[in-house]
Amino acid sequence: MFALRMAITLVMALAGLAALGILAWIGTQSIAQFLFFRNEIFRLRSVKIECDGEVITPKHVSEYLILNTCSNLFSFNMAAERAALLKKVPRIRNVEFTRTLPGKLAIVVRERLPMARLGMGYYYLAVDREGKILGPSSGSKNLPVISRHKLSGLRPGVLLEDMKIARALKVLTTCDTTPVGEQIKIREIDVAQEDALELTLAGGEKVLFAWPDMDRDAPGNNLERKLIRLAESLKSAAARGKKIAAIDMTLENNFPAREY
């Protein structure tokens, strides 16, 4: 009997502690509501929105976040709103929120930049350097085209994992981020072949192109060196008063070329 009474006493004590814990939690929530979420001091007075791109504007961000319904600085759930915004707008790469007491909210939006146009038959989709589909490329007509990829059913927000597309984006990224891009201007990249890319340059030159370890996540030195060799070949032909019509850059040396 003594053991039973002790057990009952212990259970009642634990239940009492649990009840006290719940009451304390409720009290804390009530205090938080009073001190922060319903406090007129922290009324949302101003929102500053900065966007670094040309497509997403502060007005767009305000509409996406429905800021006109938010009245309190602390009632704005930054983590949830950030996740929702990134999911809703594929064009946004990152968004940062900063609270400044008592009532200022700052929002900085980093936009994804289109790297190329993905040919889809009768239209094009813009894609960034990471392979993220951004949407129709009506405002990006000067971007190089990636053609003959055989992908379908693509929509904004999809992250491409196709190996051939990845190769093309590596080439374009290297041209965009290294000095060799000043000498090589790519108009189109045909990705139909299994072991090489076919580049069409701004001057109409056709280049069959490959480099060592092109399907590995290795430093881009091999790729940059091969592009430099291509630039040297173009420059050498020009010095002789010639222009390259087509060149095979899949070899390591002695690149066969057709000139005119």
Side-chain angles (χ1 to χ4, degrees):
M1 291 295 292
F2 176 76
L4 179 60
R5 285 197 300 269
M6 287 295 294
I8 293 174
T9 302
L10 180 60
V11 170
M12 292 179 65
L14 292 174
L17 288 173
L20 287 174
I22 294 172
L23 289 173
W25 181 80
I26 294 173
T28 301
Q29 295 299 308
S30 299
I31 293 172
Q33 288 286 336
F34 177 77
L35 291 178
F36 298 103
F37 300 102
R38 297 181 183 176
N39 194 328
E40 180 64 17
I41 295 176
F42 302 119
R43 177 171 55 86
L44 186 59
R45 295 175 176 82
S46 67
V47 179
K48 181 180 179 181
I49 303 175
E50 296 182 4
C51 302
D52 71 346
E54 300 179 352
V55 176
I56 304 298
T57 66
K59 181 180 178 181
H60 291 144
V61 176
S62 180
E63 292 173 350
Y64 291 141
L65 295 173
I66 320 180
L67 289 173
N68 58 346
T69 65
C70 181
S71 60
N72 182 279
L73 186 63
F74 287 97
S75 67
F76 184 81
N77 189 327
M78 295 191 296
E81 293 293 346
R82 179 181 184 277
L85 189 59
L86 291 175
K87 182 177 180 180
K88 187 185 299 183
V89 189
R91 192 97 187 188
I92 295 178
R93 177 170 57 87
N94 191 27
V95 57
E96 301 172 359
F97 298 101
T98 304
R99 293 190 184 105
T100 301
L101 300 180
K104 181 179 179 180
L105 179 66
I107 304 172
V108 178
V109 173
R110 310 292 183 190
E111 187 175 319
R112 291 182 179 273
L113 301 178
M115 173 66 68
R117 292 181 293 156
L118 207 60
M120 301 301 295
Y122 299 103
Y123 65 98
Y124 298 94
L125 290 173
V127 59
D128 76 347
R129 66 177 56 185
E130 296 176 2
K132 176 86 74 167
I133 299 294
L134 305 181
S137 65
S138 56
S140 308
K141 295 181 179 180
N142 295 325
L143 292 176
V145 173
I146 299 177
S147 61
R148 299 218 294 168
H149 50 79
K150 297 182 180 179
L151 299 177
S152 61
L154 301 180
R155 64 187 186 281
V158 169
L159 182 63
L160 299 176
E161 298 180 349
D162 182 82
M163 179 180 64
K164 296 178 180 180
I165 299 294
R167 293 174 184 170
L169 291 174
K170 285 180 183 179
V171 172
L172 294 175
T173 298
T174 301
C175 288
D176 189 54
T177 57
T178 65
V180 73
E182 296 296 321
Q183 305 170 66
I184 297 175
K185 305 296 182 182
I186 299 175
R187 189 170 70 198
E188 182 177 348
I189 301 182
D190 183 325
V191 298
Q193 296 193 40
E194 291 296 327
D195 54 359
L197 301 172
E198 184 176 310
L199 316 181
T200 301
L201 305 187
E205 302 93 333
K206 296 289 185 180
V207 183
L208 196 60
F209 193 79
W211 67 96
D213 301 323
M214 62 182 178
D215 294 327
R216 294 177 55 190
D217 292 330
N221 295 336
N222 288 327
L223 171 55
E224 185 178 356
R225 280 196 292 267
K226 202 64 173 289
L227 287 170
I228 291 173
R229 298 291 299 277
L230 171 59
E232 291 171 348
S233 297
L234 296 171
K235 185 177 180 180
S236 175
R240 291 181 278 105
K242 299 286 186 178
K243 187 174 180 179
I244 291 177
I247 185 170
D248 185 346
M249 296 289 298
T250 61
L251 306 175
E252 285 302 306
N253 293 291
N254 302 320
F255 312 116
R258 179 165 51 86
E259 301 178 346
Y260 63 95

